[in-house]
Amino acid sequence: MRTLFQTIKQQFLEENDLVLVSVTASSGSTPRGAGSRMLVGKSGRISGTIGGGAVEYRAECMALDILEKKESCQHEFRLNHKDVENIGMICGGDVTAFFQYLDHNDPIIMEITETAEKFYEERKDFWLRDLLTTSGVSLYSPACGLIGTANVPSSVLSSLSAKPHRYHSEDYDLFSEQIGTSGTVYVFGGGHVSQKLVPILASVDFRCVVLDDRPEFTDPALFPGAVETILCDFNHLKQYVSITASDYCCVMTRGHSYDTIVQAQLLATPACYIGVIGSRAKKAAVFRRLIEEYNINEQDLNRIISPIGLEIKAETPAEIAISITGQMIQVRADRKATSK
């Protein structure tokens, strides 16, 4: 989503109108669910995707027509077996999409793109909201309030879900999705796996901070996509970071001793994810130390995922980084699914 906002701003500076296509509901076996978005300009799709195949093809054609009419609208795509065969779509099902016309002269939309970038930089929780009845669009952050035109009752604002959700009544029809989160990935150790991991995590919208006690492993050039690198003392992490329940921690320091020290401190935080690199033998040895030397109980140790990552028989640093990223995507999705 961050890239999408950046693209809107750049296209507006080039005086190009756009259409933002958002999936607001889906049923059956569709490739992408509610919250999927793509941006269409006069030359076709520019950014994002709503799943490819028949839905995306038809939506792109409709978006080009909307660019001429300059009017937002909603449309439901119903796909039968013949549609699937003719257009080459593997999945079937129905999709409802909202087509938001974006006028490059609209100062509110430009303000929204600039505010979104600011919110991403400042790690704010915020939502994108489309008012489907009047084609209003806005951002909402509990810390900063409303930016835009989609006014809705405060009761809705207080019950916003992390998941894409449609709020409907006689007075309003609103589609809302949390697109920014205060959560950060703290990577402890700046070695080969970390250097592969950070760019991949950043590419799927994780905010990454790398910590190491060796200056040569906190060089920002080693970590494309990281928002910060910190030279630290692993014995006193509280002096450098304050870890919240929205944060993820990946432990991959240069040895058992430092891994143990870091894990003992992380277990005292509410971090939503603590993953530790290493073999099962290493895990057993470290856990024994945590129990014997730090008085950590076995129930707390269950919070630690080790070996870190999905079991895909990864061997190289790049493969391990992919397995970790996959696991963290899964954790993030599960947390959204269980949010209010």
Side-chain angles (χ1 to χ4, degrees):
M1 284 299 299
R2 186 173 188 175
T3 301
L4 185 141
F5 281 114
Q6 292 169 342
T7 303
I8 292 174
K9 181 177 181 180
Q10 182 58 43
Q11 289 289 318
F12 273 24
L13 292 174
E14 296 173 8
E15 300 185 348
N16 294 322
D17 294 344
L18 302 165
V19 174
L20 177 61
V21 185
S22 304
V23 175
T24 59
S26 64
S27 62
S29 180
T30 55
R32 298 289 300 274
S36 303
R37 302 176 191 268
M38 74 171 177
L39 200 61
V40 179
K42 60 185 178 181
S43 60
R45 185 175 68 88
I46 297 172
S47 177
T49 179
I50 59 171
V55 171
E56 188 158 290
Y57 173 78
R58 293 180 178 179
E60 185 175 336
C61 292
M62 282 194 63
L64 292 172
D65 186 53
I66 288 167
L67 275 175
E68 296 294 326
K69 295 179 179 178
K70 305 182 185 301
E71 293 180 355
S72 302
C73 72
Q74 184 171 272
H75 185 79
E76 184 173 352
F77 298 91
R78 294 185 177 275
L79 302 176
N80 56 38
H81 181 69
K82 186 175 181 180
D83 291 326
V84 173
E85 289 184 346
N86 287 345
I87 307 181
M89 186 178 179
I90 295 174
C91 305
D94 299 335
V95 172
T96 301
F98 185 66
F99 294 77
Q100 176 77 54
Y101 172 69
L102 304 178
D103 185 340
H104 77 273
N105 289 311
D106 188 340
I108 293 176
I109 302 298
M110 181 61 88
E111 180 186 4
I112 285 173
T113 66
E114 293 172 344
T115 303
E117 182 63 26
K118 179 182 177 183
F119 284 173
Y120 280 121
E121 289 288 339
E122 296 177 352
R123 296 176 55 195
K124 283 188 168 57
D125 293 317
F126 68 103
W127 284 255
L128 176 65
R129 308 182 314 153
D130 300 295
L131 198 57
L132 307 183
T133 49
T134 59
S135 301
V137 61
S138 67
L139 296 181
Y140 172 72
S141 167
C144 302
L146 186 71
I147 295 90
T149 59
N151 294 311
V152 293
S154 58
S155 59
V156 173
L157 295 180
S158 63
S159 63
L160 289 177
S161 170
K163 298 179 291 184
H165 188 75
R166 190 168 180 175
Y167 300 85
H168 182 71
S169 77
E170 293 182 357
D171 301 318
Y172 57 83
D173 190 357
L174 173 77
F175 181 72
S176 175
E177 178 189 8
Q178 185 173 3
I179 58 171
T181 176
S182 57
T184 293
V185 180
Y186 292 102
V187 181
F188 298 91
H192 296 303
V193 175
S194 298
Q195 292 168 32
K196 296 293 185 181
L197 175 63
V198 168
I200 299 174
L201 285 174
S203 73
V204 289
D205 297 328
F206 282 101
R207 182 182 188 276
C208 299
V209 173
V210 180
L211 299 95
D212 206 303
D213 60 351
R214 300 165 291 176
E216 64 270 29
F217 287 95
T218 56
D219 181 355
L222 296 175
F223 305 99
V227 298
E228 188 177 8
T229 60
I230 300 173
L231 181 63
C232 73
D233 177 353
F234 284 134
N235 291 284
H236 303 287
L237 294 180
K238 281 187 177 181
Q239 295 180 9
Y240 305 94
V241 292
S242 179
I243 296 171
T244 73
S246 298
D247 297 328
Y248 303 73
C249 299
C250 297
V251 183
M252 43 192 70
T253 72
R254 62 182 181 276
H256 291 39
S257 178
Y258 289 107
D259 278 356
T260 305
I261 291 168
V262 170
Q263 287 176 73
Q265 294 171 84
L266 295 182
L267 286 171
T269 75
C272 68
Y273 173 92
I274 303 173
V276 182
I277 201 167
S279 65
R280 286 177 173 79
K282 173 188 172 182
K283 171 184 175 180
V286 170
F287 276 22
R288 278 196 302 271
R289 285 195 60 193
L290 288 169
I291 293 170
E292 295 170 2
E293 299 179 24
Y294 294 89
N295 296 317
I296 305 294
N297 63 54
E298 292 190 12
Q299 184 175 354
D300 285 340
L301 291 177
N302 289 333
R303 294 178 59 200
I304 296 174
I305 299 172
S306 184
I308 193 172
L310 300 176
E311 294 187 7
I312 59 171
K313 298 182 179 180
E315 295 183 358
T316 67
E319 290 172 346
I320 295 169
I322 290 169
S323 76
I324 296 170
T325 302
Q327 187 173 68
M328 291 179 60
I329 290 171
Q330 188 176 62
V331 171
R332 180 171 64 183
D334 288 344
R335 293 184 70 237
K336 277 193 174 185
T338 56
S339 68
K340 68 180 181 178

